[in-house]
Amino acid sequence: MDKRLIWLALGSFTIATEGFVISSLLPDIAADAAISVPLAGTLITAFALAYALGTPILATLTGEWDRRRVILWTLVFFVLGNLAAALSSSFELLLIARIVMALSSGLFAATAQGTAVALVDDHHRARAIAVVVGGTTVAVAVGAPLGALVATVAGWRGTFFAIAGLGALAGAILWYRLPRGIVGTKLPLRQRLAATLRPGVPSILLTTLLALTGAFTVFAFVAPLAIEGGGLSPIALPGMLLAFGVGAVIGNIAGGQAADRFGA
């Protein structure tokens, strides 16, 4: 296996950790900003919308750019977004910082997977993508609980500082390790979106939307549900996120094996 894939996975781990750990920070953010927890939850909604809508547009605009250059710039903006979140003086600034992080995260994810494919031969493409995406899975099981643990010690701002540091480390390693000259293919936005209309795809997307809506509606508000609703201590939040992450890993592995054995 090309060891450069591990560093791409580290980038995925860093970005996904920020995306998942925010749920444990909502009560503290709401308290500091003097707003309600549901309003603080718009930090998650804005991130998700910016990620979903911005990624195909940015991927189209940067399709012919050097992929090393794109990856490094996405990490630069991701780090700056985390620093801005940590230093934000208002909820509005924090919201803008999360949108910046979402746009950079989405473009990183798309570009990292394309770069992984370009680094290996045709027979190992699926495995290369699995390694990079594996960083996200590890973030769910390990990164988010660790980020929540940092918040119990250093506050929610400390978590953003820690993620910014990890993002800078990933960027420095990838700057050193990734080769120049890997150029992607520029696909029109219409062609990218056309894939969603292929036979069978809309129903799969709808099923995925409904399933993840149910899961992440609960996950997004796991902190107030656990603390206010369940009477647990804030120190229990890392354990709650760990339980969710372990379940996600088990489900991911079991789902893949079941699909191979019984069919999708």
Short mmCIF file of all heavy atoms in Angstrom, two decimals, residues 161-204:
data_model
loop_
_atom_site.label_atom_id
_atom_site.label_comp_id
_atom_site.label_asym_id
_atom_site.label_seq_id
_atom_site.Cartn_x
_atom_site.Cartn_y
_atom_site.Cartn_z
N PHE A 161 -9.07 24.77 18.67
CA PHE A 161 -7.62 24.98 18.59
C PHE A 161 -6.89 23.65 18.32
O PHE A 161 -5.96 23.60 17.50
CB PHE A 161 -7.11 25.60 19.89
CG PHE A 161 -7.25 27.09 19.96
CD1 PHE A 161 -7.90 27.69 21.04
CD2 PHE A 161 -6.73 27.91 18.97
CE1 PHE A 161 -8.04 29.07 21.12
CE2 PHE A 161 -6.85 29.29 19.04
CZ PHE A 161 -7.52 29.87 20.11
N ALA A 162 -7.31 22.59 19.01
CA ALA A 162 -6.67 21.29 18.84
C ALA A 162 -6.86 20.76 17.42
O ALA A 162 -5.91 20.23 16.81
CB ALA A 162 -7.24 20.30 19.85
N ILE A 163 -8.06 20.92 16.87
CA ILE A 163 -8.31 20.44 15.51
C ILE A 163 -7.53 21.27 14.50
O ILE A 163 -7.02 20.75 13.50
CB ILE A 163 -9.82 20.49 15.20
CG1 ILE A 163 -10.56 19.48 16.09
CG2 ILE A 163 -10.09 20.18 13.74
CD1 ILE A 163 -12.05 19.54 15.99
N ALA A 164 -7.39 22.57 14.75
CA ALA A 164 -6.58 23.42 13.88
C ALA A 164 -5.14 22.94 13.86
O ALA A 164 -4.49 22.89 12.80
CB ALA A 164 -6.66 24.87 14.34
N GLY A 165 -4.61 22.58 15.03
CA GLY A 165 -3.25 22.07 15.11
C GLY A 165 -3.08 20.77 14.34
O GLY A 165 -2.08 20.58 13.63
N LEU A 166 -4.05 19.88 14.47
CA LEU A 166 -3.98 18.61 13.76
C LEU A 166 -4.09 18.83 12.25
O LEU A 166 -3.40 18.17 11.47
CB LEU A 166 -5.10 17.69 14.24
CG LEU A 166 -5.08 16.24 13.75
CD1 LEU A 166 -3.77 15.55 14.15
CD2 LEU A 166 -6.27 15.48 14.29
N GLY A 167 -4.93 19.77 11.84
CA GLY A 167 -5.05 20.09 10.43
C GLY A 167 -3.77 20.66 9.86
O GLY A 167 -3.37 20.34 8.73
N ALA A 168 -3.09 21.51 10.65
CA ALA A 168 -1.81 22.07 10.20
C ALA A 168 -0.77 20.97 10.06
O ALA A 168 0.04 20.98 9.12
CB ALA A 168 -1.35 23.13 11.20
N LEU A 169 -0.77 20.01 10.98
CA LEU A 169 0.16 18.89 10.90
C LEU A 169 -0.10 18.06 9.64
O LEU A 169 0.84 17.71 8.91
CB LEU A 169 0.02 18.01 12.14
CG LEU A 169 0.85 16.71 12.14
CD1 LEU A 169 2.34 17.02 12.09
CD2 LEU A 169 0.52 15.87 13.38
N ALA A 170 -1.37 17.76 9.37
CA ALA A 170 -1.71 16.99 8.17
C ALA A 170 -1.29 17.73 6.91
O ALA A 170 -0.75 17.14 5.97
CB ALA A 170 -3.21 16.71 8.15
N GLY A 171 -1.52 19.05 6.90
CA GLY A 171 -1.14 19.85 5.74
C GLY A 171 0.36 19.85 5.51
O GLY A 171 0.83 19.74 4.37
N ALA A 172 1.14 19.96 6.60
CA ALA A 172 2.60 19.98 6.47
C ALA A 172 3.12 18.65 5.92
O ALA A 172 4.01 18.61 5.06
CB ALA A 172 3.23 20.27 7.83
N ILE A 173 2.54 17.55 6.40
CA ILE A 173 2.97 16.23 5.92
C ILE A 173 2.60 16.04 4.45
O ILE A 173 3.41 15.56 3.65
CB ILE A 173 2.34 15.12 6.79
CG1 ILE A 173 2.88 15.19 8.22
CG2 ILE A 173 2.62 13.74 6.19
CD1 ILE A 173 2.21 14.23 9.18
N LEU A 174 1.39 16.42 4.08
CA LEU A 174 0.96 16.25 2.70
C LEU A 174 1.74 17.19 1.77
O LEU A 174 2.00 16.84 0.62
CB LEU A 174 -0.54 16.51 2.58
CG LEU A 174 -1.42 15.41 3.21
CD1 LEU A 174 -2.88 15.85 3.27
CD2 LEU A 174 -1.29 14.11 2.42
N TRP A 175 2.09 18.37 2.24
CA TRP A 175 2.92 19.27 1.44
C TRP A 175 4.25 18.61 1.10
O TRP A 175 4.78 18.75 -0.01
CB TRP A 175 3.15 20.57 2.22
CG TRP A 175 4.15 21.49 1.56
CD1 TRP A 175 3.93 22.35 0.52
CD2 TRP A 175 5.54 21.63 1.89
NE1 TRP A 175 5.08 23.01 0.18
CE2 TRP A 175 6.09 22.59 1.00
CE3 TRP A 175 6.37 21.04 2.84
CZ2 TRP A 175 7.43 22.96 1.06
CZ3 TRP A 175 7.70 21.42 2.90
CH2 TRP A 175 8.22 22.37 2.02
N TYR A 176 4.78 17.86 2.05
CA TYR A 176 6.07 17.19 1.86
C TYR A 176 5.93 15.90 1.06
O TYR A 176 6.80 15.58 0.24
CB TYR A 176 6.69 16.89 3.23
CG TYR A 176 7.99 16.12 3.16
CD1 TYR A 176 9.16 16.72 2.71
CD2 TYR A 176 8.04 14.78 3.56
CE1 TYR A 176 10.35 16.01 2.64
CE2 TYR A 176 9.22 14.07 3.50
CZ TYR A 176 10.38 14.68 3.05
OH TYR A 176 11.55 13.97 2.99
N ARG A 177 4.85 15.16 1.24
CA ARG A 177 4.73 13.81 0.70
C ARG A 177 4.02 13.72 -0.65
O ARG A 177 4.33 12.83 -1.44
CB ARG A 177 3.98 12.92 1.71
CG ARG A 177 4.73 12.68 3.00
CD ARG A 177 5.91 11.75 2.78
NE ARG A 177 5.43 10.40 2.44
CZ ARG A 177 6.16 9.48 1.83
NH1 ARG A 177 7.40 9.74 1.48
NH2 ARG A 177 5.65 8.29 1.57
N LEU A 178 3.07 14.60 -0.92
CA LEU A 178 2.31 14.47 -2.16
C LEU A 178 3.11 14.99 -3.36
O LEU A 178 3.75 16.04 -3.27
CB LEU A 178 0.99 15.23 -2.07
CG LEU A 178 -0.13 14.61 -1.24
CD1 LEU A 178 -1.37 15.48 -1.31
CD2 LEU A 178 -0.45 13.20 -1.70
N PRO A 179 3.06 14.28 -4.48
CA PRO A 179 3.78 14.74 -5.67
C PRO A 179 3.01 15.84 -6.39
O PRO A 179 1.79 15.95 -6.28
CB PRO A 179 3.84 13.47 -6.53
CG PRO A 179 2.61 12.72 -6.16
CD PRO A 179 2.40 12.97 -4.69
N ARG A 180 3.74 16.67 -7.11
CA ARG A 180 3.11 17.67 -7.95
C ARG A 180 2.71 17.02 -9.28
O ARG A 180 3.20 15.96 -9.63
CB ARG A 180 4.06 18.84 -8.21
CG ARG A 180 4.36 19.69 -6.98
CD ARG A 180 5.33 20.80 -7.34
NE ARG A 180 5.52 21.74 -6.24
CZ ARG A 180 6.39 21.58 -5.26
NH1 ARG A 180 7.15 20.50 -5.23
NH2 ARG A 180 6.50 22.49 -4.31
N GLY A 181 1.84 17.70 -10.01
CA GLY A 181 1.54 17.26 -11.36
C GLY A 181 0.37 16.30 -11.51
O GLY A 181 0.08 15.84 -12.61
N ILE A 182 -0.33 15.98 -10.41
CA ILE A 182 -1.53 15.14 -10.52
C ILE A 182 -2.70 16.07 -10.81
O ILE A 182 -3.13 16.83 -9.95
CB ILE A 182 -1.78 14.34 -9.23
CG1 ILE A 182 -0.60 13.44 -8.92
CG2 ILE A 182 -3.05 13.52 -9.37
CD1 ILE A 182 -0.76 12.65 -7.63
N VAL A 183 -3.20 15.99 -12.02
CA VAL A 183 -4.25 16.89 -12.47
C VAL A 183 -5.54 16.11 -12.68
O VAL A 183 -5.53 15.02 -13.24
CB VAL A 183 -3.86 17.61 -13.77
CG1 VAL A 183 -4.96 18.56 -14.21
CG2 VAL A 183 -2.56 18.37 -13.58
N GLY A 184 -6.63 16.67 -12.20
CA GLY A 184 -7.92 16.01 -12.35
C GLY A 184 -8.56 16.30 -13.70
O GLY A 184 -7.98 16.98 -14.56
N THR A 185 -9.75 15.80 -13.87
CA THR A 185 -10.52 16.02 -15.09
C THR A 185 -11.67 16.98 -14.77
O THR A 185 -12.41 16.76 -13.81
CB THR A 185 -11.11 14.70 -15.62
OG1 THR A 185 -10.03 13.80 -15.86
CG2 THR A 185 -11.89 14.94 -16.91
N LYS A 186 -11.80 18.00 -15.57
CA LYS A 186 -12.86 18.97 -15.34
C LYS A 186 -14.17 18.46 -15.92
O LYS A 186 -14.31 18.32 -17.14
CB LYS A 186 -12.50 20.32 -15.95
CG LYS A 186 -13.51 21.42 -15.61
CD LYS A 186 -13.04 22.77 -16.08
CE LYS A 186 -14.04 23.87 -15.65
NZ LYS A 186 -13.58 25.22 -16.06
N LEU A 187 -15.12 18.16 -15.04
CA LEU A 187 -16.44 17.70 -15.46
C LEU A 187 -17.44 18.82 -15.25
O LEU A 187 -17.45 19.44 -14.18
CB LEU A 187 -16.87 16.47 -14.67
CG LEU A 187 -16.05 15.20 -14.86
CD1 LEU A 187 -16.55 14.11 -13.92
CD2 LEU A 187 -16.11 14.73 -16.30
N PRO A 188 -18.28 19.10 -16.22
CA PRO A 188 -19.32 20.14 -16.03
C PRO A 188 -20.23 19.78 -14.87
O PRO A 188 -20.45 18.60 -14.58
CB PRO A 188 -20.09 20.11 -17.36
CG PRO A 188 -19.15 19.48 -18.34
CD PRO A 188 -18.33 18.50 -17.57
N LEU A 189 -20.75 20.79 -14.21
CA LEU A 189 -21.62 20.56 -13.06
C LEU A 189 -22.84 19.74 -13.46
O LEU A 189 -23.29 18.87 -12.70
CB LEU A 189 -22.06 21.91 -12.47
CG LEU A 189 -22.92 21.85 -11.20
CD1 LEU A 189 -22.18 21.14 -10.08
CD2 LEU A 189 -23.32 23.27 -10.78
N ARG A 190 -23.36 19.99 -14.66
CA ARG A 190 -24.52 19.24 -15.12
C ARG A 190 -24.21 17.75 -15.22
O ARG A 190 -25.03 16.90 -14.87
CB ARG A 190 -24.96 19.77 -16.48
CG ARG A 190 -26.18 19.04 -17.06
CD ARG A 190 -26.58 19.64 -18.39
NE ARG A 190 -26.96 21.04 -18.26
CZ ARG A 190 -27.31 21.82 -19.30
NH1 ARG A 190 -27.31 21.30 -20.53
NH2 ARG A 190 -27.64 23.08 -19.11
N GLN A 191 -23.00 17.44 -15.67
CA GLN A 191 -22.61 16.03 -15.79
C GLN A 191 -22.44 15.38 -14.42
O GLN A 191 -22.76 14.22 -14.22
CB GLN A 191 -21.31 15.92 -16.60
CG GLN A 191 -20.90 14.49 -16.92
CD GLN A 191 -19.70 14.44 -17.85
OE1 GLN A 191 -19.34 15.45 -18.46
NE2 GLN A 191 -19.08 13.29 -17.96
N ARG A 192 -21.92 16.14 -13.47
CA ARG A 192 -21.77 15.61 -12.10
C ARG A 192 -23.14 15.30 -11.49
O ARG A 192 -23.33 14.27 -10.85
CB ARG A 192 -21.03 16.62 -11.22
CG ARG A 192 -19.56 16.83 -11.59
CD ARG A 192 -18.92 17.87 -10.69
NE ARG A 192 -17.54 18.13 -11.07
CZ ARG A 192 -16.49 17.46 -10.61
NH1 ARG A 192 -16.69 16.49 -9.74
NH2 ARG A 192 -15.27 17.75 -11.00
N LEU A 193 -24.09 16.22 -11.68
CA LEU A 193 -25.40 16.04 -11.08
C LEU A 193 -26.23 14.99 -11.82
O LEU A 193 -27.16 14.42 -11.24
CB LEU A 193 -26.15 17.38 -11.07
CG LEU A 193 -25.50 18.49 -10.25
CD1 LEU A 193 -26.32 19.77 -10.35
CD2 LEU A 193 -25.35 18.07 -8.79
N ALA A 194 -25.88 14.73 -13.08
CA ALA A 194 -26.64 13.76 -13.86
C ALA A 194 -26.56 12.36 -13.26
O ALA A 194 -27.47 11.54 -13.44
CB ALA A 194 -26.14 13.74 -15.31
N ALA A 195 -25.48 12.08 -12.52
CA ALA A 195 -25.32 10.76 -11.92
C ALA A 195 -26.42 10.46 -10.92
O ALA A 195 -26.78 9.30 -10.70
CB ALA A 195 -23.95 10.66 -11.24
N THR A 196 -26.99 11.50 -10.33
CA THR A 196 -28.04 11.29 -9.32
C THR A 196 -29.36 10.86 -9.95
O THR A 196 -30.27 10.43 -9.23
CB THR A 196 -28.27 12.58 -8.50
OG1 THR A 196 -28.75 13.61 -9.38
CG2 THR A 196 -26.98 13.04 -7.85
N LEU A 197 -29.47 10.99 -11.27
CA LEU A 197 -30.71 10.65 -11.95
C LEU A 197 -30.66 9.30 -12.65
O LEU A 197 -31.61 8.92 -13.34
CB LEU A 197 -31.06 11.75 -12.97
CG LEU A 197 -31.26 13.15 -12.40
CD1 LEU A 197 -31.55 14.14 -13.50
CD2 LEU A 197 -32.37 13.16 -11.36
N ARG A 198 -29.57 8.58 -12.50
CA ARG A 198 -29.47 7.27 -13.11
C ARG A 198 -30.48 6.32 -12.47
O ARG A 198 -30.84 6.48 -11.29
CB ARG A 198 -28.05 6.71 -12.95
CG ARG A 198 -27.00 7.47 -13.76
CD ARG A 198 -25.61 6.90 -13.54
NE ARG A 198 -24.61 7.61 -14.32
CZ ARG A 198 -23.32 7.36 -14.27
NH1 ARG A 198 -22.85 6.42 -13.45
NH2 ARG A 198 -22.47 8.05 -15.01
N PRO A 199 -30.94 5.32 -13.22
CA PRO A 199 -31.96 4.39 -12.69
C PRO A 199 -31.50 3.76 -11.37
O PRO A 199 -30.39 3.24 -11.27
CB PRO A 199 -32.07 3.34 -13.80
CG PRO A 199 -31.70 4.08 -15.05
CD PRO A 199 -30.62 5.04 -14.63
N GLY A 200 -32.37 3.82 -10.38
CA GLY A 200 -32.08 3.22 -9.09
C GLY A 200 -31.41 4.15 -8.10
O GLY A 200 -31.53 3.96 -6.89
N VAL A 201 -30.72 5.17 -8.60
CA VAL A 201 -29.98 6.07 -7.71
C VAL A 201 -30.90 6.95 -6.87
O VAL A 201 -30.68 7.10 -5.66
CB VAL A 201 -28.96 6.92 -8.51
CG1 VAL A 201 -28.30 7.96 -7.61
CG2 VAL A 201 -27.91 6.02 -9.13
N PRO A 202 -31.94 7.58 -7.44
CA PRO A 202 -32.80 8.43 -6.60
C PRO A 202 -33.40 7.70 -5.40
O PRO A 202 -33.46 8.26 -4.30
CB PRO A 202 -33.90 8.88 -7.58
CG PRO A 202 -33.24 8.85 -8.92
CD PRO A 202 -32.33 7.65 -8.87
N SER A 203 -33.83 6.46 -5.59
CA SER A 203 -34.41 5.72 -4.46
C SER A 203 -33.36 5.41 -3.40
O SER A 203 -33.65 5.44 -2.19
CB SER A 203 -35.07 4.43 -4.95
OG SER A 203 -34.12 3.59 -5.60
N ILE A 204 -32.13 5.12 -3.84
CA ILE A 204 -31.05 4.88 -2.88
C ILE A 204 -30.73 6.16 -2.10
O ILE A 204 -30.54 6.13 -0.88
CB ILE A 204 -29.78 4.37 -3.61
CG1 ILE A 204 -30.05 2.98 -4.19
CG2 ILE A 204 -28.59 4.34 -2.67
CD1 ILE A 204 -28.92 2.46 -5.05
#
